[in-house]
Amino acid sequence: MATNRTFTMIKPDAFADGNTGAILSMIEKAGFKLIAAKLTHLTAETAGKFYAVHSERPFYNDLCKYMSSGPIVAVILEKENAVADFRTLIGATNPANAEDGTIRKIFARSIEANAVHGSDSDENAAIEGSFFFSELERI
Ligand code: UDP
Ligand code: MG
């Protein structure tokens, strides 16, 4: 995957609240192109694999339960400087600390149910995109 790509998920809270369309619209208006998209439902096991890097953190078990609590939408995005620009667009992990106008500030319920995922590096964007999409499914 090219380094101008990042990976996001519309998390179960945002999907359940009916905010998928509004969030994808904000993402497109910010200049990101959709490369692949999939509506799916993680199990506790697949969520655990996705978040394996956090397996020693105190919030890990709750996070896996939450991420498997309902449908999600997984999306690969493309834009110049995609990883950093997308982190700016979504705002801080804890919506209480997120800048006004960011996706998490507008849509998140809590630090756990924070509406969207955003990759933290080019390397992880590629790994996370491959977790959900095969080569054939990407533009
Ligand atoms: N999370 C949580 N409690 C915390 C920190 C994180 O429930 O104290 C959840 C939250 O859903 C977050 C995810 O774990 O988005 C991954 O954490 P990370 O530190 O990677 O935050 P992110 O990169 O998503 O901003
Ligand atoms: Mg992270």
Side-chain angles (χ1 to χ4, degrees):
M1 188 184 293
T3 56
N4 58 350
R5 290 186 175 184
T6 191
F7 172 79
T8 187
M9 286 182 281
I10 311 296
K11 294 186 177 183
D13 59 299
F15 185 89
D17 291 342
N19 291 325
T20 300
I23 291 171
L24 290 176
S25 177
M26 277 184 73
I27 291 170
E28 288 190 303
K29 285 191 178 118
F32 292 86
K33 183 177 156 199
L34 275 65
I35 298 298
K38 183 179 288 181
L39 171 57
T40 185
H41 193 147
L42 294 169
T43 63
E45 288 70 33
T46 50
K49 272 187 202 162
F50 183 86
Y51 283 111
V53 63
H54 293 309
S55 60
E56 301 305 318
R57 309 277 290 275
F59 58 81
Y60 178 70
N61 284 339
D62 283 344
L63 176 62
C64 295
K65 211 182 289 176
Y66 155 64
M67 285 302 297
S68 56
S69 65
I72 60 119
V73 180
V75 187
I76 296 175
L77 298 167
E78 189 168 272
K79 183 187 179 295
E80 202 180 307
N81 202 31
V83 167
D85 284 3
F86 193 72
R87 296 290 305 201
T88 301
L89 179 66
I90 67 178
T93 307
N94 185 348
N97 302 327
E99 298 281 332
D100 282 348
T102 59
I103 291 174
R104 282 170 167 169
K105 184 70 170 194
I106 296 168
F107 297 108
R109 293 183 190 171
S110 68
I111 189 171
E112 177 183 74
N114 59 2
V116 283
H117 171 80
S119 304
D120 62 7
S121 65
D122 289 339
E123 188 193 2
N124 284 334
I127 292 168
E128 292 168 2
S130 304
F131 189 87
F132 284 91
F133 300 100
S134 74
E135 196 72 41
L136 284 173
E137 291 172 308
R138 298 174 212 149
I139 290 173

